[in-house]
């Protein structure tokens, strides 16, 4: 499948796939020319420019994911993770610093990865209170048990 994109200003780095079998495409911090490095203080969130627009096909979504090195080494986590097919603006990456040290993001740094996923469109149906589990939904009788309730 081809995912079309557009660079919206000069000097923007294209998304890359480091290895042919990688699930995601890396995207980079590509700010306006008058902006430089971005400082992210502990417990702070910033919205970073990529300089890219994507044409997400109907029936799919782009999911913005953490880069493992950003999460483990810099304690930077991605927020606001879904890009819908109807969105036609610049892709921004929302990063949260959950660490104890300020972090610096320089122009051209990898900041996130994008994974293209199929979407199953669904509708919700409200049920009367207390009746949602009256009909079997699956073959398990597990109920509300979790966190090792099956003996593991």
């Amino acid at each position: 499948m081809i995912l079309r994109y557009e660079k919206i200003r000069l000097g923007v780095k294209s998304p890359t796939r480091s290895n042919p079998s990688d699930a995601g495409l890396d995207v980079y911090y590509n700010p306006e020319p008058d902006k430089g490095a971005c400082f992210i203080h502990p417990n702070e969130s910033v919205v970073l420019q990529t300089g890219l627009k994507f044409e997400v096909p109907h029936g799919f979504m782009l999911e913005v994911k953490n880069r493992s090195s950003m999460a483990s080494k810099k304690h930077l986590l991605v927020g606001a993770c879904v890009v819908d097919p109807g969105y036609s603006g610049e892709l921004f990456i929302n990063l949260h610093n959950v660490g104890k040290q300020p972090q610096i993001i320089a122009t051209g740094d990898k900041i996130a990865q994008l994974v293209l996923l199929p979407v199953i469109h669904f509708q919700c149906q409200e049920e009367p209170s207390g009746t949602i589990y009256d009909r079997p939904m699956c073959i398990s009788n597990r109920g509300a048990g979790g966190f090792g309730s099956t003996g593991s």
Side-chain angles (χ1 to χ4, degrees), residues 1-57:
M1 172 172 274
I2 302 295
L3 179 64
R4 296 175 1 140
Y5 71 94
E6 174 184 339
K7 295 178 181 178
I8 63 171
R9 57 185 161 272
L10 294 175
V12 169
K13 288 180 82 168
S14 295
T16 60
R17 189 180 313 276
S18 296
N19 297 292
S21 62
D22 287 353
L25 290 173
D26 291 324
V27 289
Y28 300 83
Y29 175 47
N30 290 302
E32 297 283 342
D34 61 335
K35 297 183 182 190
C38 177
F39 293 86
I40 311 173
H41 299 283
N43 298 314
E44 183 181 46
S45 295
V46 296
V47 177
L48 301 175
Q49 297 175 297
T50 66
L52 301 168
K53 291 181 177 182
F54 288 90
E55 184 182 64
V56 180

Side-chain angles (χ1 to χ4, degrees), residues 2-151:
I2 302 295
L3 179 64
R4 296 175 1 140
Y5 71 94
E6 174 184 339
K7 295 178 181 178
I8 63 171
R9 57 185 161 272
L10 294 175
V12 169
K13 288 180 82 168
S14 295
T16 60
R17 189 180 313 276
S18 296
N19 297 292
S21 62
D22 287 353
L25 290 173
D26 291 324
V27 289
Y28 300 83
Y29 175 47
N30 290 302
E32 297 283 342
D34 61 335
K35 297 183 182 190
C38 177
F39 293 86
I40 311 173
H41 299 283
N43 298 314
E44 183 181 46
S45 295
V46 296
V47 177
L48 301 175
Q49 297 175 297
T50 66
L52 301 168
K53 291 181 177 182
F54 288 90
E55 184 182 64
V56 180
H58 179 72
F60 291 84
M61 66 174 234
L62 271 179
E63 186 170 3
V64 182
K65 307 286 282 179
N66 294 314
R67 294 195 68 254
S68 59
S69 62
M70 294 286 280
S72 64
K73 295 176 184 175
K74 293 190 171 196
H75 309 284
L76 296 174
L77 302 179
V78 169
C81 299
V82 174
V83 181
D84 292 310
Y87 179 66
S88 60
E90 179 177 1
L91 175 69
F92 294 93
I93 305 299
N94 183 354
L95 284 183
H96 306 284
N97 183 348
V98 298
K100 296 180 180 175
Q101 301 296 320
Q103 298 297 333
I104 300 171
I105 304 295
T107 298
D109 282 355
K110 292 179 182 180
I111 54 175
Q113 61 180 318
L114 305 177
V115 178
L116 185 66
L117 298 170
V119 173
I120 298 172
H121 288 89
F122 61 93
Q123 294 181 349
C124 291
Q125 177 178 313
E126 183 178 357
E127 296 291 328
S129 182
T131 65
I132 194 163
Y133 296 110
D134 287 352
R135 293 182 306 278
M137 293 174 52
C138 64
I139 60 172
S140 171
N141 63 356
R142 180 179 188 162
F147 300 105
S149 65
T150 61

